[in-house]
């Protein structure tokens, strides 16, 4: 009897410790952030190029996460990308002429949507669409442009020298 | 020679098939044993899990510590020491936690299971049970299998968390990485999916390690040498299966 009691005690301790560790892993090591996604409203925006924006990417305003991207899809009719994201419903007073741009966290970080407040008296609500958007900056394109410009400059110089 | 090859292949197929059937028999008996003979399962969770805690915790602490050291040494070349936490957490949660725990589990609990069952067989205890109309599969094997399956994910979680604290101890306390950056970077980079991957791995490895241990013990040649061989085979087979499955699960989840 004494022995089974100590076995049960040991097992109980072990399972409790294991569950505590699991709980720690699921809550403390991932970014649950401040946004839980319970009470939220959905807003959409269209971008020429979303870069590598993914589902569940953060939506931030003034650097604070206020929502998450729900879906990114290609619209075959308008030939651009439609991004739907949800914003925590405690932020009801975001002007509806705010503009959305796709930004990168750090030089090589993941991409997120940044909102810039506009000046309208009307506020964003469920189903509204953000009209002013700015596409993701694709680093390859920037480098391409820079190199092209360099090439053009140097060939012009050569031409001038020849003259 | 071809005949030998053919026979070896046929024998391999036969063992493989017998093992699947054995696994199905274990599974089909599991629910009723879990409900009716819960005390037997508790006893085995204690044997496989609680008694493995010490080795798991000590190894976890030092594995985490090494990750902290290596991560700091290499990341500081890029001035990215703050990412030590992310580095350690990714390695521990997705790979090292489940794999090393499974290997330790095979060494600590798997061998104990295989030799115990093998010895029961060698000393005719299993046949004696059959004579008394007790099904040894239900009375002996299923509780041990279930105990291992339940214990393994919990052991992995303990190993991972202790490892994270080991990394914290080395990275933050010893090498002076900022504690806030350590945890904050980890939290912003890790996603729930990464943790699910670790949990899925730990469950699969738990099933594999327990299955091999029980199977090898049950099919041991009932001699002193046979039991010894069964114990060795348990560790070898579990290690191979765990590492192959680890590769496959990672390949699927990326």
């Amino acid at each position: 009897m004494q022995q089974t009691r100590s076995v049960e005690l040991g097992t109980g301790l072990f399972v409790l410790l294991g569950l505590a560790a699991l709980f720690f892993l699921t809550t403390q090591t991932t970014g649950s952030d401040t946004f839980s996604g319970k009470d939220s409203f959905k807003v959409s925006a269209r971008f020429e190029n979303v870069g590598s924006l993914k589902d569940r990417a953060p939506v931030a305003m003034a650097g604070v996460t206020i929502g998450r991207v729900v879906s990114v899809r290609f619209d075959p009719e308008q030939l651009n990308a439609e991004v739907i994201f949800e914003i925590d419903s405690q932020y009801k007073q975001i002007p509806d002429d705010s503009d959305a741009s796709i930004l990168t966290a750090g030089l090589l970080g993941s991409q997120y949507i940044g909102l810039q407040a506009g000046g309208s008296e009307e506020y964003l609500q469920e189903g509204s669409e953000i009209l002013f958007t700015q596409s993701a900056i694709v680093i390859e394109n920037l480098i391409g442009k820079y190199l092209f410009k360099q090439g053009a400059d140097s060939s012009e110089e050569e031409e001038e020298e020849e003259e | 020679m071809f005949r030998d090859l053919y026979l070896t292949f046929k024998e391999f197929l036969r063992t493989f098939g017998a093992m699947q059937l054995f696994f199905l028999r274990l599974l089909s008996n599991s629910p009723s044993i879990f409900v009716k003979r819960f005390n037997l399962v508790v006893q085995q969770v204690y044997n496989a899990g609680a008694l493995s805690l010490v080795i798991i915790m000590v190894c976890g602490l030092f594995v985490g510590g090494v990750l902290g050291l290596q991560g700091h040494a290499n990341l500081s070349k890029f001035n990215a020491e703050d990412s030590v936490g992310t580095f350690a957490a990714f390695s521990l949660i997705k790979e090292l936690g489940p794999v090393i725990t499974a290997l330790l589990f095979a060494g600590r609990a798997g061998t104990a299971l295989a030799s115990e069952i093998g010895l029961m067989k060698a000393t005719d205890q299993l046949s004696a049970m059959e004579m008394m109309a007790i099904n040894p599969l239900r009375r002996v094997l299923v509780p041990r299998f279930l105990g291992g399956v339940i214990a393994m994910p919990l052991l992995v979680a303990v190993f991972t968390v202790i490892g994270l604290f080991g990394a914290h101890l080395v990275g933050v306390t010893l090498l002076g990485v900022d504690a806030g950056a350590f945890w904050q970077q980890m939290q912003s980079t890790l996603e729930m999916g990464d943790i699910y991957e670790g949990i899925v791995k730990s469950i699969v490895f738990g099933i594999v390690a327990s299955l091999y241990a029980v199977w090898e013990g049950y099919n041991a040649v009932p001699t002193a040498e046979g039991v010894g061989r069964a114990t060795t085979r348990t560790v070898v087979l579990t290690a191979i299966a765990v590492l192959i499955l680890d590769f496959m699960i990672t390949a699927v989840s990326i």
Side-chain angles (χ1 to χ4, degrees), chain B residues 13 30 37 43 60 63 68 75 88 106 118 130 159 165-166 176 186 191 193 196 212 228 234 242 246 253:
Chain B
L13 267 189
S30 290
R37 304 300 304 271
Q43 173 78 46
V63 168
L75 290 170
E130 273 171 11
F159 182 94
F165 279 105
M186 181 195 303
E191 283 168 15
Y196 287 144
Y212 276 139
T234 306
V242 160
D246 182 49
S253 59

Side-chain angles (χ1 to χ4, degrees), chain A residues 3-4 6-11 13-15 17-22 24-32 56, chain B residues 42-43 45-46 49-50 53 57 93 151 154-155 157-158 160-161 164-165 183 186-188 190-192 195 199:
Chain A
Q3 207 229 338
T4 49
S6 69
V7 164
E8 280 163 1
L9 191 72
T11 315
L13 268 176
F14 163 63
V15 174
L17 196 66
L19 291 180
L22 266 181
F24 180 87
L25 279 184
T26 47
T27 56
Q28 298 300 307
T29 57
T30 59
S32 43
R56 294 191 50 74
Chain B
V42 168
Q43 173 78 46
V45 171
Y46 178 78
L53 262 185
M57 289 168 91
I93 288 173
L154 300 174
L155 285 175
V158 172
T160 310
V161 169
L164 284 180
F165 279 105
W183 291 100
M186 181 195 303
Q187 287 170 354
S188 60
L190 273 178
E191 283 168 15
M192 215 51 200
I195 295 186
I199 293 177

Side-chain angles (χ1 to χ4, degrees), chain B residues 80-102:
Chain B
E81 300 97 306
D82 291 351
S83 304
V84 167
T86 320
F87 169 75
F90 258 106
S91 333
L92 277 170
I93 288 173
K94 294 175 71 148
E95 298 296 335
L96 294 179
V99 170
I100 296 187
T101 312

Side-chain angles (χ1 to χ4, degrees), chain A residues 11 15 18 23 30 38 40-41 56 62 81 93 124 126-127 134-135:
Chain A
T11 315
V15 174
F23 180 75
T30 59
K38 271 180 206 157
S40 59
F41 56 94
R56 294 191 50 74
Q93 305 195 324
L124 284 178
E126 173 78 33
Q134 193 183 345
S135 291

Side-chain angles (χ1 to χ4, degrees), chain A residues 27-83:
Chain A
T27 56
Q28 298 300 307
T29 57
T30 59
S32 43
D33 281 339
T34 47
F35 178 66
S36 57
K38 271 180 206 157
D39 276 334
S40 59
F41 56 94
K42 286 196 173 65
V43 176
S44 68
R46 289 174 183 278
F47 293 91
E48 287 292 312
N49 187 341
V50 290
S52 60
L53 190 75
K54 294 195 178 67
D55 291 2
R56 294 191 50 74
V59 176
M61 196 155 188
V64 181
T65 303
I66 58 167
R68 287 205 178 279
V69 173
V70 180
S71 76
V72 180
R73 71 177 196 98
F74 177 67
D75 184 343
E77 284 165 16
Q78 302 195 23
L79 298 177
N80 55 16
E82 185 183 22
V83 176

Side-chain angles (χ1 to χ4, degrees), chain A residues 59-121:
Chain A
V59 176
M61 196 155 188
V64 181
T65 303
I66 58 167
R68 287 205 178 279
V69 173
V70 180
S71 76
V72 180
R73 71 177 196 98
F74 177 67
D75 184 343
E77 284 165 16
Q78 302 195 23
L79 298 177
N80 55 16
E82 185 183 22
V83 176
I84 296 175
F85 50 91
E86 47 187 22
I87 295 175
D88 198 323
S89 42
Q90 62 173 304
Y91 307 111
K92 290 194 185 86
Q93 305 195 324
I94 302 171
D96 70 348
D97 62 344
S98 301
D99 73 78
S101 41
I102 296 180
L103 305 170
T104 309
L107 195 55
L108 300 168
S110 56
Q111 291 188 305
Y112 68 98
I113 293 186
L115 296 181
Q116 282 286 345
S120 167
E121 299 277 304

Side-chain angles (χ1 to χ4, degrees), chain B residues 30-250:
Chain B
S30 290
S32 66
I33 291 289
F34 189 77
V35 175
K36 284 186 205 154
R37 304 300 304 271
F38 189 65
N39 56 335
L40 287 179
V41 180
V42 168
Q43 173 78 46
Q44 295 309 323
V45 171
Y46 178 78
N47 283 349
L51 294 181
S52 310
L53 262 185
V54 176
I55 182 174
I56 292 291
M57 289 168 91
V58 173
C59 292
L61 188 68
F62 281 95
V63 168
V66 161
L67 284 177
L69 276 178
Q70 288 282 16
H72 187 273
N74 287 300
L75 290 170
S76 62
K77 287 176 192 158
F78 309 103
N79 280 333
E81 300 97 306
D82 291 351
S83 304
V84 167
T86 320
F87 169 75
F90 258 106
S91 333
L92 277 170
I93 288 173
K94 294 175 71 148
E95 298 296 335
L96 294 179
V99 170
I100 296 187
T101 312
L103 298 180
L104 292 174
F105 181 85
R108 167 65 188 75
T111 50
L113 282 184
S115 57
E116 187 189 8
I117 297 171
L119 209 66
M120 278 180 161
K121 194 180 178 193
T123 51
D124 290 330
Q125 291 181 45
L126 296 185
S127 326
M129 280 184 187
E130 273 171 11
M131 300 285 274
M132 293 187 281
I134 297 171
N135 184 353
L137 185 96
R138 287 174 62 83
R139 178 66 179 77
V140 176
L141 301 188
V142 173
R144 282 167 175 71
F145 173 72
L146 280 179
V149 172
I150 295 171
M152 184 67 186
L154 300 174
L155 285 175
V156 170
V158 172
F159 182 94
T160 310
V161 169
I162 299 269
L164 284 180
F165 279 105
H168 179 96
L169 202 67
V170 171
V172 176
T173 317
L174 233 58
L175 297 172
V177 175
D178 181 57
F182 183 93
W183 291 100
Q184 159 56 32
Q185 284 222 6
M186 181 195 303
Q187 287 170 354
S188 60
T189 320
L190 273 178
E191 283 168 15
M192 215 51 200
D194 299 322
I195 295 186
Y196 287 144
E197 188 185 333
I199 293 177
V200 167
K201 278 183 181 175
S202 68
I203 293 171
V204 172
F205 295 169
I207 292 174
V208 168
S210 316
L211 176 66
Y212 276 139
V214 172
W215 163 260
E216 286 298 334
Y218 192 56
N219 285 285
V221 181
T223 58
E225 194 197 354
V227 175
R229 190 164 288 179
T231 319
T232 314
R233 282 173 58 93
T234 306
V235 179
V236 174
L237 282 178
T238 310
I240 293 173
V242 160
L243 292 171
I244 292 177
L245 281 172
D246 182 49
F247 177 79
M248 282 163 60
I249 298 176
T250 310

